[in-house]
């Protein structure tokens, strides 16, 4: 069959079934005949034929449908009743009419179901995009991360280049293996200097990932040799962002870090570099040897490798082959002893431990869905009870049970499909919101999307819940004796004892589930509040920061670096409105922090003992003043603490207490490294308050600061305190930097407040997400309980009327109605409490400053839920107490 | 039921129905042959695509103007898979009535225009 014929066969589905079953084969035959005639007409003739057939299809469709409807009606008129699809269509129309007549039930059920399914669908699309979907490469299961293990550590470390080349030459179980080395570069020309992440890769990189540039070429072995013409492949994103998708980019010269490279290719849009899956993004690739001149040393390892398993080779087999290869390498090169090559499936490395987080969130959203299901079941139960008279009547009049079941099935399907459609809309919004609030640590965020799989998920979940939770209770209700139902007056229909027990069970269950969710959210919220109250050790408001890095090649000497930053520092300091300015090598709560071993004078370590390790930073004068970190003793750095001055240090409170618990830290001396090392003794000139270097959630360790001017490096994060508006201040600061060196990229800057907030963006995200689910759960549980009590009030109107007539006070009536609801709530809270205590342990890595069983939080959560339950019962109960007995007794 | 009606009541016919009836007047034919014949009769002005053809054949069959017939065995290799149609007596009567109506109309028009 040709493609055209397959397409035509698909289009034939547009015709009514009766017409299709009769004529489909003839229609296809006619098309074949026609195309046989047009065989020699060339492509113009074929297009003309397609046009003709399409027009014919459109012209004949309406009349075919009219015809089939006429035939159906005629058949029905003859008394046979519609058959096949017609019956279902008729039932569906009946169901829709029923829903339109009583929109309350329909809207409540659809919204409840849609909320539950929409939330689960959103989470499913996240989990699907991040975890379930295969990695976006051909044969992704054959991709592995390759690295060396040392000293029995589980982690894979980067390797030295010679080790890599030896391994690559020897392996047979890896079909291709490529090394890559990430580095940050500055792209010059065509606008502001732009800092990009580049990767030097060996040419087989493109064979490993199985993706080639969409235009241009991949690297060849010749490109990767010393003295070759410098070439580069751009990412689709960089090509679009910087060059507006200019088609003539291939062949152009670009300047990276002052070197000129010829662009030889652009990667396709859908290519996600495997490095980027767990590191940010890579925007340009170079041949490895072009950007590395240290490929022959076997001392330090910096090459990340990925490989593609040969077909049919297992991870196990490859691992043992690599172990043998490592042993061989170590015999020839003793310095490689102890480095064992190993692999890890790329998939495992990519997804890592977000699996746990997502499992918790998926579990939470499953709970929301369960509560929604309980509500839908409750709604259907009420409806079934109300309709038991209708059903009994139909049965008495001769309707077969199968017909009634079919009607109920159709009703459930109609409801589920509508709910699924609403849920899909909610999921679109949810996924967009999820991607917009990018939590920062999720890999493959770009791959999260609502697609066909996700929509199918929504439909299946919706149909399953609709059918199970809608149909089962309805069927149970249908089984109650018809005679009994018909005898009773309509207003006195009371649910059978079994149904009432079922409904009570649903309330207890959803209360328990809601408590577990609320407790989880409560714990995270409490942690988050704690996190927010942490004193960062500096004053975040009223200050901005800006990271400036210079190239080591342009500023090779310490003097040149010192001159550059000293000039920038004084230029920024002279901007109007600046109260204090300073800088440090590592921004507090930034991505980088350094540690160093340090030896205080007089400390004699034991024979096997290592000197203590502390956090280490280089700071300029004005740094602590700009941060407003309290100076507890002595002084901070000044401009005269430079290379000509005495080596000095400032320490934080934690270091002072650890090293000199019983002495004044001022005037003490310490040095970097071991006591016997060459580095000079530094005198402590000041003690400052503890500063959270690695984030609000991380403890303040001992910190050592040395004057930046005594050891200038290539990067400084400036902190500026000023009353001026941050935006214009930052612009003015940029101009000052560019006045000194117009080629520097400046991309990392902002207010100090948003910088601090950035360090807790992840806990905030998960707190927000879990709180949203818990909020949904609370609302749904509230609606469920409210509905149940309201229905009970309606059912017992007569009884209440009698009680009031006999002298019961309104308060008594209210408590009568509330009592039952609160009893159910109490049982639910007890069960939920036990489950909560047993399960909140899974949150232990997410809580901060409290235990996962924090009694105050759990008690408050239970109280919140109880209060909501009380309100849900009280609203309908109050209505009951206001019933006029004369009226209620008359209504029958 | 329909056969007891007078053939005049089924008139006028649509061009597709009329030409299909004419095509079948010379004997049974399969669907695509009908379409080809109609195209030839009308000098290519009436081209029926598969949908139009079988839609109209179905309607004509429902109105009992045509019926399926046995394969007359005169066609090529695929002939046994094709469905053949022929005029019913009612179909023939309607065709005759339509032809008569048109003939009268033509005579009337000719007379008025002085041909």
């Amino acid at each position: 069959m040709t493609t055209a014929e397959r397409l035509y066969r698909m289009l034939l589905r547009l015709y009514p079934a009766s017409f299709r079953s009769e004529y489909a084969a003839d229609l296809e035959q006619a098309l074949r005949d026609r195309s046989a005639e047009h065989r020699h007409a060339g492509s113009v003739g074929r297009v003309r034929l397609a046009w003709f057939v399409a027009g014919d299809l459109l012209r004949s469709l309406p009349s075919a449908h009219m015809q089939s409807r006429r035939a159906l009606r005629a058949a029905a008129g003859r008394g046979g009743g519609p058959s096949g699809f017609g019956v279902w269509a008729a039932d569906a129309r009946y169901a829709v009419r029923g829903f339109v007549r009583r929109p309350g039930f329909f809207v409540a059920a659809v919204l409840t179901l849609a909320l539950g399914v929409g939330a689960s669908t959103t989470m499913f699309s996240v989990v699907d995009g991040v975890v379930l979907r295969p990695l976006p490469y051909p044969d992704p299961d054959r991709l592995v991360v390759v690295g060396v293990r040392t000293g029995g550590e589980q982690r894979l470390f980067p390797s030295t280049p010679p080790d890599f080349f030896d391994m690559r030459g020897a392996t047979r179980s890896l079909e291709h293996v490529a090394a890559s080395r990430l580095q940050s570069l500055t792209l010059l020309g065509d606008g502001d200097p732009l800092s990009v992440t580049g990767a030097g890769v060996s040419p087989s990189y493109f064979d490993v990932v199985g993706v080639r540039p969409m235009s241009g070429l991949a690297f060849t072995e010749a490109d990767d040799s010393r003295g070759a013409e410098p070439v580069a492949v751009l990412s689709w994103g960089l090509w679009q962002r910087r060059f507006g998708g200019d088609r003539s980019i291939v062949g152009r010269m670009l300047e990276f870090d002052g070197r000129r490279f010829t662009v030889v290719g652009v990667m396709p849009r859908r290519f996600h570099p495997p490095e980027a899956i767990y590191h940010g993004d890579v925007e340009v690739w170079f041949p490895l040897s072009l950007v590395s001149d240290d490929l022959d040393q076997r001392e330090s390892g910096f090459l990340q490798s990925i490989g593609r398993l040969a077909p049919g080779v297992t991870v196990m087999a490859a691992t043992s082959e690599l172990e043998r290869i490592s042993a061989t390498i170590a015999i020839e090169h003793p310095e490689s002893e102890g480095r064992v090559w190993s692999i890890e499936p790329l998939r495992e490395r990519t997804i890592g431990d977000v699996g746990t987080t997502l499992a918790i969130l998926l579990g939470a959203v499953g709970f929301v869905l369960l509560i929604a299901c309980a509500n839908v079941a409750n709604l259907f139960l009420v409806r079934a009870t109300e309709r038991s008279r209708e059903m009994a009547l139909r049965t008495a009049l001769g309707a077969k049970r199968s017909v009634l079941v079919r009607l109920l099935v159709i009703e459930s399907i109609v409801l589920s499909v509508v709910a699924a459609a609403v849920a899909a809309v909610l999921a679109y919004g949810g996924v967009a919101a999820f991607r917009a609030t990018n939590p920062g640590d999720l890999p493959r965020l770009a791959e999260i999307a609502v697609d066909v799989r996700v929509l199918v998920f929504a439909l299946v979940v919706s149909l399953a819940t609709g059918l199970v939770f809608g149909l089962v209770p309805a069927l149970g209700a249908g089984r109650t004796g018809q005679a009994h139902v018909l005898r009773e007056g309509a207003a006195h229909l009371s649910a059978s004892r079994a149904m009432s027990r079922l409904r009570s069970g649903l309330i207890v269950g959803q209360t328990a589930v809601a408590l577990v969710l609320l407790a989880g959210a409560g714990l995270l919220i409490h942690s988050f509040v704690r996190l927010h109250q942490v004193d960062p050790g500096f004053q975040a408001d009223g200050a901005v920061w800006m990271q400036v890095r210079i190239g080591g090649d342009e500023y090779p000497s310490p003097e040149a670096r010192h001159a550059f930053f000293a000039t920038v520092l004084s230029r920024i300091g002279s901007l109007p409105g600046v109260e204090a300015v300073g800088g440090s090598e590592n921004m507090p709560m930034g991505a980088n922090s350094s540690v160093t071993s340090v030896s205080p004078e007089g400390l004699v370590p034991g024979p096997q003992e290592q000197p203590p390790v502390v956090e280490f930073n280089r700071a300029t004068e004005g740094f602590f003043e700009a941060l407003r970190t309290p100076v507890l003793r002595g002084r901070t750095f000044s401009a005269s603490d430079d290379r000509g001055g005495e080596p000095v240090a400032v320490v934080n409170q934690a270091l002072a207490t650890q090293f000199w618990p019983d002495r004044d830290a001022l005037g003490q001396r310490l040095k970097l490294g071991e006591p016997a090392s060459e580095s000079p003794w530094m005198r402590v000139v000041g003690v400052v308050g503890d500063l959270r270097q690695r984030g609000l959630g991380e403890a303040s360790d001992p910190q050592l600061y040395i004057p930046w001017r005594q050891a200038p490096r290539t990067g400084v994060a400036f902190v500026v305190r000023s009353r001026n508006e941050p935006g214009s201040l930052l612009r003015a600061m940029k101009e000052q930097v560019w006045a000194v060196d117009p080629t520097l990229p400046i991309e990392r800057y902002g207010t100090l407040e948003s910088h601090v907030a950035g360090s807790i963006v992840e806990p905030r995200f998960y707190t927000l997400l879990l709180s949203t689910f818990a909020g949904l759960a609370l609302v749904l549980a509230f609606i469920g309980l409210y509905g149940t009590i309201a229905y009970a009030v309606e059912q017992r109107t007569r009884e209440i009327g009698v009680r009031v007539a006999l002298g019961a006070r309104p308060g008594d009536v209210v408590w009568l109605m509330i009592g039952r609801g609160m009893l159910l709530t109490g049982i639910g809270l007890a069960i939920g409490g036990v489950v909560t205590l047993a399960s909140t342990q899974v949150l232990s890595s997410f809580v901060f400053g409290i235990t996962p069983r924090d009694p105050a939080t759990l008690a408050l959560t239970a109280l919140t839920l109880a209060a909501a339950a009380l309100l849900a019962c009280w609203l309908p109960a109050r209505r009951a107490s206001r019933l006029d007995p004369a009226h209620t007794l008359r209504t029958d | 039921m329909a056969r007891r009606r007078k053939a005049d009541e089924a008139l006028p016919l649509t061009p597709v129905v009329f030409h299909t009836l004419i095509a079948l007047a010379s004997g049974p034919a399969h669907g695509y042959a009908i379409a080809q014949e109609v195209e030839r009769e009308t000098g290519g002005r009436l081209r029926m695509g598969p949908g139009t053809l079988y839609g109209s054949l179905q309607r004509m069959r429902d109105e009992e103007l045509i019926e399926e017939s046995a394969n007359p065995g005169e066609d090529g290799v695929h002939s046994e898979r094709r469905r053949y149609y022929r005029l019913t007596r009612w179909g023939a009567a309607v065709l005759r009535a339509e032809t008569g109506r048109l003939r009268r109309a033509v005579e009337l028009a000719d007379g008025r225009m002085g041909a």
Side-chain angles (χ1 to χ4, degrees):
Chain A
M1 203 194 295
T2 65
T3 318
E5 282 173 37
R6 256 197 297 277
L7 181 69
Y8 190 62
R9 176 168 288 186
M10 250 157 63
L11 288 172
L12 286 184
R13 287 167 188 276
L14 295 170
Y15 286 107
S18 56
F19 180 78
R20 223 166 47 223
S21 64
E22 182 84 38
Y23 292 112
D26 296 278
L27 287 166
E28 286 174 31
Q29 180 61 45
L31 181 76
R32 269 195 295 277
D33 291 338
R34 278 236 179 245
S35 30
E37 248 175 45
H38 284 69
R39 202 172 347 173
H40 306 295
S43 54
V44 176
R46 274 199 295 278
V47 170
R48 230 180 249 159
L49 176 65
W51 183 250
F52 171 67
V53 170
D56 167 64
L57 195 76
L58 287 178
R59 267 194 306 277
S60 59
L61 269 175
S63 64
H65 276 276
M66 253 142 59
Q67 176 78 3
S68 88
R69 209 165 302 159
R70 257 202 304 277
L72 264 181
R73 221 172 290 144
R78 278 207 284 278
S83 61
F85 183 73
V87 181
W88 292 82
D91 275 359
R93 271 197 296 276
Y94 181 80
V96 169
R97 273 206 299 275
F99 289 148
V100 171
R101 247 197 335 269
R102 293 210 44 189
F105 163 77
F106 182 68
V107 170
V110 161
L111 281 186
T112 307
L113 200 54
L115 276 180
V117 176
S120 342
T121 305
T122 305
M123 268 326 289
F124 174 77
S125 48
V126 172
V127 173
D128 186 45
V130 176
V131 182
L132 301 182
R133 214 178 301 210
L135 298 176
Y137 312 102
D139 283 339
D141 292 338
R142 283 166 54 198
L143 287 181
V144 289
V145 175
V146 188
V148 291
R149 297 195 203 280
T150 55
E153 278 222 50
Q154 272 308 297
R155 258 187 65 201
L156 291 179
F157 287 92
S159 72
T160 69
D163 282 337
F164 171 78
F165 297 129
D166 291 347
M167 182 273 296
R168 183 176 67 178
T171 180
R172 295 288 164 271
S173 51
L174 295 174
E175 187 181 35
H176 300 289
V177 56
S180 79
R181 172 187 210 179
L182 292 182
Q183 61 187 117
S184 138
L185 305 124
T186 307
L187 172 59
L188 294 168
D190 306 281
D192 287 348
L194 182 72
S195 150
V196 295
T197 304
V201 295
S202 49
S204 55
Y205 176 82
F206 301 95
D207 297 317
V208 173
V209 294
V211 181
R212 326 237 5 130
M214 61 166 197
S215 56
L217 299 164
F219 304 138
T220 60
E221 291 292 339
D223 290 326
D224 192 31
S225 54
R226 288 250 163 104
E229 190 72 12
V231 290
V233 168
L234 303 187
S235 75
W236 194 90
L238 181 63
W239 177 53
Q240 287 293 322
R241 193 152 58 97
R242 187 68 169 197
F243 305 102
D246 178 7
R247 294 255 153 220
S248 66
I249 189 77
V250 173
R252 258 180 75 180
M253 287 277 212
L254 298 182
E255 194 180 333
F256 288 97
D257 272 7
R259 275 179 82 184
R260 294 167 73 76
F261 291 79
T262 308
V263 177
V264 293
V266 177
M267 290 304 278
R269 178 180 200 165
R270 292 177 172 278
F271 177 62
H272 300 281
E275 312 92 293
I277 281 175
Y278 50 96
H279 283 149
D281 206 357
V282 176
E283 296 177 298
V284 57
W285 292 266
F286 307 101
L288 179 62
S289 57
L290 268 184
V291 290
S292 319
D293 47 13
D294 46 2
L295 292 182
D296 42 14
Q297 54 84 22
R298 216 177 265 272
E299 282 75 50
S300 73
F302 52 80
L303 288 185
Q304 314 262 8
S305 308
I306 49 169
R308 179 172 281 275
L309 291 173
V313 174
T314 63
V315 172
M316 285 273 277
T319 309
S320 58
E321 188 213 42
L322 288 174
E323 272 170 23
R324 282 196 305 278
I325 292 174
S326 309
T328 318
I329 297 175
I331 291 169
E332 281 175 41
H333 304 280
E335 58 270 47
S336 297
E337 177 78 52
R339 303 179 195 148
V340 181
W341 281 99
S342 189
I343 56 173
E344 188 184 340
L346 179 63
R347 197 187 158 68
E348 275 171 31
R349 171 67 81 89
T350 305
I351 295 160
D353 50 356
V354 290
T356 325
T357 311
L358 289 180
I360 291 174
L361 290 175
L362 204 59
V365 89
F367 280 6
V368 174
L369 184 63
L370 264 182
I371 297 174
C373 287
N375 276 3
V376 172
N378 239 328
L379 283 165
F380 268 98
L381 272 175
V382 170
R383 187 172 156 85
T385 314
E386 286 173 358
R387 291 173 80 187
S388 51
R389 210 172 127 88
E390 175 200 337
M391 292 299 172
L393 199 61
R394 280 167 171 255
T395 313
L397 292 176
K400 271 185 283 182
R401 189 173 158 78
S402 67
V403 174
L404 295 183
V405 170
R406 194 180 62 212
L407 183 63
L408 292 172
V409 168
I410 292 271
E411 281 187 352
S412 295
I413 290 176
V414 168
L415 197 138
S416 304
V417 168
V418 176
V422 179
V425 174
L426 291 178
Y428 266 106
V431 166
F434 196 98
R435 290 179 56 165
T437 48
N438 178 2
D441 72 330
L442 265 191
R444 310 176 73 189
L445 193 74
E447 292 174 59
I448 300 171
V450 177
D451 60 4
V452 177
R453 281 164 70 113
V454 171
L455 292 179
V456 167
F457 172 87
L459 190 65
V460 168
V461 170
S462 193
L463 277 175
T465 49
L467 282 175
V468 172
F469 291 86
L471 199 57
V472 171
L475 285 182
R479 223 172 272 126
T480 46
Q482 286 92 29
H484 156 80
V485 173
L486 282 177
R487 253 197 326 273
E488 297 237 0
H492 296 269
L493 276 180
S494 65
S496 72
R497 195 163 295 220
M499 290 242 299
S500 158
R501 262 207 301 275
L502 184 54
R503 304 196 57 202
S504 304
L506 287 171
I507 292 297
V508 168
Q510 72 180 180
T511 308
V513 170
L515 180 67
V516 177
L517 257 188
L518 279 173
L523 288 169
L524 288 198
I525 293 172
H526 192 166
S527 300
F528 193 69
V529 170
R530 285 281 170 103
L531 206 49
H532 243 292
Q533 287 166 345
V534 168
D535 176 12
F538 55 85
Q539 189 186 332
D541 58 311
V544 299
W545 66 281
M546 176 177 282
Q547 174 82 48
V548 179
R549 297 199 77 83
I550 52 178
D553 293 342
E554 289 80 15
Y555 299 87
S557 68
E559 288 75 18
R561 296 171 195 167
H562 181 269
F564 171 80
F565 283 111
T567 315
V568 171
L569 196 66
S570 75
R571 275 172 165 270
I572 293 178
S574 60
L575 284 173
V578 169
E579 294 167 15
V581 56
S584 69
E585 185 181 22
N586 296 322
M587 184 71 191
M589 301 188 188
N592 303 318
S593 75
S594 317
V595 294
T596 183
S597 59
V598 62
S599 305
E601 194 174 21
L603 180 103
V604 183
Q608 288 298 313
E609 215 177 321
Q610 298 289 321
V613 172
V614 298
E615 276 176 14
F616 173 67
N617 205 349
R618 295 175 171 86
T620 71
E621 68 272 15
F623 175 66
F624 298 106
E625 288 75 11
L627 283 175
R628 295 224 170 122
T629 297
V631 181
L632 307 174
R633 304 271 294 134
R635 67 171 176 96
T636 57
F637 299 132
S638 73
S640 56
D641 291 320
D642 57 11
R643 289 161 69 79
E646 179 202 12
V648 292
V650 166
V651 299
N652 74 343
Q653 172 98 46
L655 189 143
T657 346
Q658 183 185 330
F659 283 10
W660 305 287
D662 46 3
R663 262 177 292 172
D664 187 354
L666 278 192
Q668 304 289 341
R669 298 206 304 168
L670 40 67
K671 71 158 68 171
L672 301 180
E674 299 185 13
S677 75
E678 297 285 298
S679 55
W681 288 106
M682 301 179 293
R683 192 167 56 85
V684 175
V685 294
V687 179
V688 295
D690 293 344
L691 215 146
R692 301 265 165 165
Q693 181 65 30
R694 281 171 299 170
L696 280 182
E698 306 282 338
S700 297
D701 289 331
Q703 286 155 350
L704 170 68
Y705 298 89
I706 65 168
W708 186 87
R709 286 177 188 266
Q710 290 183 351
R713 306 292 287 248
T714 55
V716 167
F718 290 100
V719 177
V720 178
R721 187 162 291 281
S722 163
R723 268 192 293 273
N724 288 4
E725 189 268 319
S728 58
L729 175 62
L730 286 165
R731 266 194 304 281
M733 287 165 64
K734 263 195 233 178
E735 280 161 18
Q736 294 307 320
V737 175
W738 281 334
V740 185
D741 184 342
T743 67
L744 291 183
I746 304 177
E747 280 139 18
R748 304 186 49 227
Y749 50 84
T751 64
L752 210 50
E753 268 181 312
S754 66
H755 178 69
V756 173
S759 82
I760 50 174
V761 68
E762 203 184 305
R764 179 175 39 222
F765 177 73
Y766 292 119
T767 305
L768 185 72
L769 208 55
L770 202 56
S771 305
T772 309
F773 294 153
L776 268 181
L778 185 64
V779 169
L780 288 174
F782 179 88
I783 292 174
L785 189 57
Y786 175 89
T788 303
I789 301 300
Y791 183 67
V793 168
E794 207 176 291
Q795 295 286 295
R796 294 167 74 176
T797 305
R798 217 172 115 94
E799 178 201 331
I800 294 166
V802 172
R803 281 175 188 264
V804 174
L806 293 178
R809 281 166 307 174
D812 300 337
V813 173
V814 169
W815 282 112
L816 175 74
M817 300 314 298
I818 288 183
R820 188 178 124 82
M822 289 316 285
L823 177 68
L824 297 181
T825 305
I827 301 174
L829 287 180
I831 297 174
V834 173
V835 177
T836 304
L837 287 178
S839 63
T840 49
Q841 209 59 41
V842 300
L843 290 177
S844 51
S845 64
F846 295 85
V847 297
F848 173 82
I850 53 174
T851 71
R853 289 181 180 170
D854 183 56
T857 309
L858 297 185
L860 191 66
T861 310
L863 271 178
T864 308
L865 193 53
L870 194 62
L871 183 67
C873 297
W874 180 71
L875 288 174
R878 194 186 47 159
R879 218 172 49 224
S881 74
R882 291 185 181 160
L883 287 173
D884 176 4
H887 180 71
T888 54
L889 292 175
R890 244 197 337 264
T891 47
D892 195 24
Chain B
M1 204 148 88
R3 234 162 276 173
R4 263 180 248 132
R5 284 191 310 173
K6 293 185 72 177
D8 286 352
E9 287 165 15
L11 306 184
L13 300 176
T14 64
V16 170
V17 172
F18 182 49
H19 285 287
T20 305
L21 291 176
I22 295 174
L24 289 175
S26 57
H30 61 75
Y32 186 59
I34 296 173
Q36 278 178 312
E37 176 63 23
V38 168
E39 209 170 314
R40 202 164 38 241
E41 279 170 14
T42 58
R45 278 194 310 278
L46 200 57
R47 275 183 88 200
M48 290 192 284
T52 315
L53 171 68
Y54 284 97
S56 117
L57 287 178
Q58 183 192 32
R59 243 181 340 272
M60 291 171 70
R61 208 185 55 171
D62 288 351
E63 288 164 14
E64 297 172 7
L65 293 168
I66 56 173
E67 62 192 1
E68 277 184 44
S69 86
N71 178 5
E74 61 188 16
D75 212 330
V77 272
H78 300 297
S79 53
E80 60 278 12
R81 274 209 262 121
R82 296 176 189 274
R83 253 195 284 206
Y84 280 75
Y85 298 90
R86 68 174 178 215
L87 288 186
T88 59
R89 286 168 57 174
W90 165 248
V94 168
L95 177 60
R96 252 194 311 279
E98 177 72 344
T99 318
R101 181 182 73 84
L102 286 173
R103 188 179 296 122
R104 280 192 297 282
V106 170
E107 281 166 6
L108 187 63
D110 281 352
R112 297 258 164 104
M113 292 188 294

